[in-house]
Amino acid sequence: MSENQKTLSEEQAEPVQAAPEAEETEQSVLPAEPDRDETLDAADDTAADEPAEEEEEEDIDPADVRIFGMPRVCFHYTAFGVAIGYLVSGIIGIAGFNPPSATICAIVCAAIGYFIGNRLYKKRKAARDAAAQSPESAE
C-alpha cells in the first residue's frame, strides 16, 4: 500500500518525531544553492565576453511592414472591407430584402478596401520618397 493510500488509523500510529527529521534533511539541502549575487556576477561576466551583435537591430519603418505580402495600410483597409462586407450583408437582411451571400459581400468590400489602401500607400510612399530626396539634393 502506498503512502497516500494509508488509512487514517495507520497515519496516526506513526511516530510524531518523523516530521522534524524530514525538516532537518531539507534544511541541509537548501544552503547548498549558490547565492543570487554570485550568479548575477557570473552572468554579467559572460555577457561582457560575448559580442553585442544581437543588440543592434535594424529600425524598420512601420509603413514598410508587410502583412501577408501586403503593405500594412493595404492589409488594414482589406480587413476593414471584409468587416464592412459582413455588416452590409446583415443590414440588407435586416431591412427585409433578400441579401446576397455574406462571403460575396465580404470579398467585394475587401477588394474595394484593398484598392483604396493601395492608392493611399502609393501616395504616402511617393511623398516620403520626395521628402527623403529633397534634403539630400539641398546638401
Side-chain angles (χ1 to χ4, degrees):
M1 198 177 243
S2 73
E3 187 176 274
N4 294 337
Q5 295 176 342
K6 290 180 182 178
T7 62
L8 187 59
S9 61
E10 290 177 6
E11 288 179 4
Q12 291 173 351
E14 290 182 11
V16 177
Q17 294 179 352
E21 291 174 11
E23 289 178 11
E24 290 174 5
T25 58
E26 289 177 12
Q27 289 176 356
S28 64
V29 174
L30 290 177
E33 294 181 17
D35 292 336
R36 182 170 170 81
D37 295 333
E38 292 174 8
T39 56
L40 291 176
D41 291 339
D44 291 340
D45 293 339
T46 57
D49 296 338
E50 296 177 5
E53 294 175 13
E54 295 180 73
E55 294 176 8
E56 298 177 18
E57 291 186 12
E58 205 175 304
D59 289 335
I60 299 173
D61 186 19
D64 293 335
V65 174
R66 294 191 167 273
I67 304 171
F68 296 117
M70 295 183 282
R72 185 178 61 119
V73 174
C74 293
F75 176 77
H76 288 165
Y77 274 83
T78 303
F80 187 69
V82 169
I84 294 296
Y86 282 119
L87 288 173
V88 165
S89 176
I91 290 171
I92 291 172
I94 289 173
F97 299 109
N98 188 12
S101 173
T103 306
I104 292 173
C105 284
I107 290 172
V108 168
C109 291
I112 293 168
Y114 174 79
F115 288 121
I116 292 171
N118 195 15
R119 296 294 175 205
L120 287 174
Y121 174 73
K122 286 181 181 180
K123 285 182 183 180
R124 288 180 185 174
K125 186 175 180 184
R128 194 176 26 173
D129 291 342
Q133 289 182 1
S134 63
E136 292 175 2
S137 62
E139 292 176 5

